[in-house]
Amino acid sequence: MAFSLFAIALFLFLSLDAGEISPASAAFSSSSASSSGGGGVEVTYGSLIKLMHEKTKFRLHSHDVPYGSGSGQQSVTGFPDVDDANSYWIVKPLPDTSARQGDTIKTGTIVRLQHMKTRKWLHSHLHASPITGNMEVSCFGGENQSDTGDYWRLELEGSGKTWKQDQKIRLHHVDTGGYLHSHNKKYSRIAGGQQEVCGVKDKRPDNIWLAAEGVYLPVNSSK
């Protein structure tokens, strides 16, 4: 596990504009996030994280397999195994903002999540999700292709003001108004055993997530 995290960290720092941040100064976490609030490592821009669905403990996941219905874009699922590289996401700000790598992220901030392996963005729209017919969540675009369908507003649960590893969160999709959601309904064929991930309009216990395993970049102190 330690070697795999180092390899991912090296990939991350070679792929991003790391500035003066070195892999040795990043916070490595291979343990699951807790459900409490208050303490914990800050989630900063440029951090490479897994998002754990609080109720089922599955990780937000994508791979280069398109949906067979709806948009036909790259599918997004909940994945049961902790140790899978297709469940890593890079936390990015909106384009053309003053946010910098290592900046902390306050509740209410709009963020983007880039899938590490395929470089596409966590995306949603009004296409129907395959199992429940809610709003489909997909991966779309690329390194230089991103639109407002990739914009998610961070909503922290509890008293915290900035996103931390052990903080319960919701991600509220800007274009559709849907919350990033999952449940125990699973695919039986192409993504057998993986959960549907979709968007729903209302707040429910099933749209709570936590930042779990990952490489957390240190807070930028050069403001």
Side-chain angles (χ1 to χ4, degrees), residues 1-207:
M1 176 67 76
F3 179 80
S4 64
L5 278 175
F6 178 80
I8 290 166
L10 184 60
F11 174 89
L12 173 68
F13 286 97
L14 291 175
S15 301
L16 301 177
D17 179 13
E20 307 214 346
I21 298 172
S22 67
S25 66
F28 294 77
S29 175
S30 59
S31 61
S32 299
S34 70
S35 61
S36 62
V41 177
E42 294 276 2
V43 180
T44 56
Y45 287 123
S47 292
L48 181 71
I49 68 170
K50 292 186 178 182
L51 279 178
M52 181 181 74
H53 187 241
E54 198 253 349
K55 193 169 183 180
T56 64
K57 313 306 180 192
F58 279 44
R59 270 59 175 176
L60 185 70
H61 179 90
S62 188
H63 43 248
D64 192 13
V65 175
Y67 284 118
S69 62
S71 69
Q73 293 173 4
Q74 183 172 302
S75 57
V76 172
T77 63
F79 198 77
D81 298 335
V82 173
D83 192 14
D84 189 281
N86 281 308
S87 300
Y88 280 106
W89 303 84
I90 305 167
V91 184
K92 294 282 193 78
L94 299 189
D96 303 320
T97 68
S98 61
R100 299 173 58 193
Q101 184 165 288
D103 284 352
T104 58
I105 307 170
K106 294 180 180 179
T107 189
T109 301
I110 298 172
V111 300
R112 298 179 297 161
L113 294 174
Q114 187 177 35
H115 189 240
M116 184 192 75
K117 291 196 77 173
T118 64
R119 316 306 283 181
K120 295 183 179 181
W121 304 94
L122 186 68
H123 187 88
S124 191
H125 35 222
L126 296 178
H127 290 284
S129 62
I131 297 178
T132 59
N134 290 308
M135 288 173 282
E136 182 190 276
V137 172
S138 64
C139 268
F140 181 71
E143 201 69 62
N144 299 308
Q145 182 185 7
S146 177
D147 60 28
T148 58
D150 310 329
Y151 291 5
W152 300 84
R153 189 180 303 279
L154 175 70
E155 296 184 2
L156 303 184
E157 294 287 298
S159 58
K161 294 183 179 179
T162 58
W163 189 5
K164 293 183 173 64
Q165 184 188 13
D166 60 357
Q167 180 79 50
K168 294 181 181 180
I169 69 162
R170 285 186 171 89
L171 290 172
H172 196 196
H173 191 245
V174 172
D175 278 1
T176 65
Y179 287 95
L180 186 67
H181 183 85
S182 193
H183 43 65
N184 60 8
K185 295 179 176 63
K186 297 179 176 63
Y187 294 99
S188 59
R189 281 184 275 183
I190 295 177
Q194 297 178 41
Q195 290 176 179
E196 182 185 68
V197 171
C198 57
V200 296
K201 286 284 190 181
D202 52 325
K203 288 187 178 181
R204 303 181 194 175
D206 279 350
N207 38 60

